Amino acid sequence: MTPGRFGDARRRRIGLLGGSFNPAHEGHRHVARRAMQALRLDEIWLMVSPGNPLKPVQGMAPLPERLASARRIADGRRIIATDIEARLGTRYTADTLAALRRRFRRARFAFVIGADNMVQLPRWKQWRAIARTVALGVLPRPGWTRRALAGRAAHVLAHHRRVPGGVLTESFAPHAAWCLVPAREHAASATAIRRAQAERSTGERRGP
C-alpha cells in the first residue's frame, strides 16, 4: 500500500530508506531486506528524493524515472517505493520526518542510512534533532563502515547505540537509539551503473 500524503492511523513499525535511487539497484533491495529483518519492521519505504541538497543536479534523472526504478525492486506490500517527499513538499530529512510523524501518529519510524551517510550526517540540517527523535539503522558500505564507526556522529551518539532488535523498543526514551545493522557490504553502485550505461550508449553511437 503506497503511503498517502495525509497519513493514516495504522500502528506499524516503518523503516525509511531515503535516497536519489539514480537508479535503484540490487544493493538497495539487499539493504531494505536486511534492515526489515534486523530492525523487526513491518514495512520499509523507499523514499525517492525530489532532490538531495548534498548532491549535484547534473546527471540526476527525472523523479518519475527514478521512482519507476525503485518500484522495480519493491514488492508493493512490505517494500514500498514512494515519492512522498515530493508530495509533502519537503526536501530536508528533518522536515520530512517531522511531517511524517504528524501524519502517521501511531507509526514508529526507523531511518535507514548507509555508512557513507553516517559519516556525512553532521553536515545535515538539524542532524542532532534527527538522531534524537528517530531511530537510526546504519548499513555497512564498502570503504565507509569503519569511517562511520570512528566518525563524529558515532562518537556523539555513542551512549545511544543498541543492538538492532532494540532500537525501536524504548518507546519513551529521552533520546532515540541507533545501531549498525549486521549485513554484508553490497558492491552495487548507482554511479557505476550510470557509468556503464553511458559507456554502452557511447559504443552504440560509434557502431562497429
Side-chain angles (χ1 to χ4, degrees), residues 61-116:
L63 176 59
E65 184 178 322
R66 293 183 285 117
L67 178 61
S69 77
R71 283 176 172 156
R72 284 193 290 272
I73 66 167
D75 61 21
R77 296 177 296 103
R78 298 193 66 195
I79 302 177
I80 301 165
T82 176
D83 61 350
I84 195 167
E85 280 189 295
R87 289 183 281 128
L88 290 172
T90 57
R91 193 178 180 198
Y92 291 94
T93 297
D95 300 330
T96 298
L97 293 174
L100 291 176
R101 283 194 296 269
R102 288 194 299 269
R103 288 163 173 77
F104 299 88
R105 294 184 178 275
R106 300 183 71 190
R108 300 193 60 200
F109 291 108
F111 193 54
V112 180
I113 60 176
D116 53 333

Side-chain angles (χ1 to χ4, degrees), residues 136-152:
L136 297 177
V138 181
L139 270 294
R141 287 290 307 275
W144 290 98
T145 307
R146 289 186 179 181
R147 289 177 60 187
L149 295 178
R152 182 184 172 201

Side-chain angles (χ1 to χ4, degrees), residues 1-4 7-18 29 31-47 74-82 84 100 104 106-112 168:
M1 178 177 179
T2 302
D8 59 55
R10 288 179 295 162
R11 191 186 298 277
R12 290 160 297 163
R13 295 158 62 102
I14 300 171
L16 303 172
L17 176 58
R29 196 202 314 258
V31 164
R33 287 174 171 172
R34 286 299 303 133
M36 190 165 356
Q37 181 181 27
L39 304 180
R40 302 174 185 173
L41 302 173
D42 297 310
E43 57 194 61
I44 187 163
W45 298 353
L46 310 180
M47 295 198 309
D75 61 21
R77 296 177 296 103
R78 298 193 66 195
I79 302 177
I80 301 165
T82 176
I84 195 167
L100 291 176
F104 299 88
R106 300 183 71 190
R108 300 193 60 200
F109 291 108
F111 193 54
V112 180
L168 286 176

Side-chain angles (χ1 to χ4, degrees), residues 20 22-23 55-62 65-66 190-191 194 197:
S20 300
N22 188 39
K55 288 191 176 181
V57 175
Q58 185 177 5
M60 189 66 65
E65 184 178 322
R66 293 183 285 117
T191 301
R194 293 195 304 273
Q197 290 172 340

Side-chain angles (χ1 to χ4, degrees), residues 113 115-123 127-128 131 136 138 147-161 175 178:
I113 60 176
D116 53 333
N117 279 324
M118 186 67 167
V119 172
Q120 298 171 12
L121 191 60
R123 297 175 57 196
W127 79 273
R128 293 196 185 211
L136 297 177
V138 181
R147 289 177 60 187
L149 295 178
R152 182 184 172 201
H155 176 73
V156 171
L157 303 174
H159 292 300
H160 307 292
R161 186 174 177 181
H175 196 293
W178 72 280

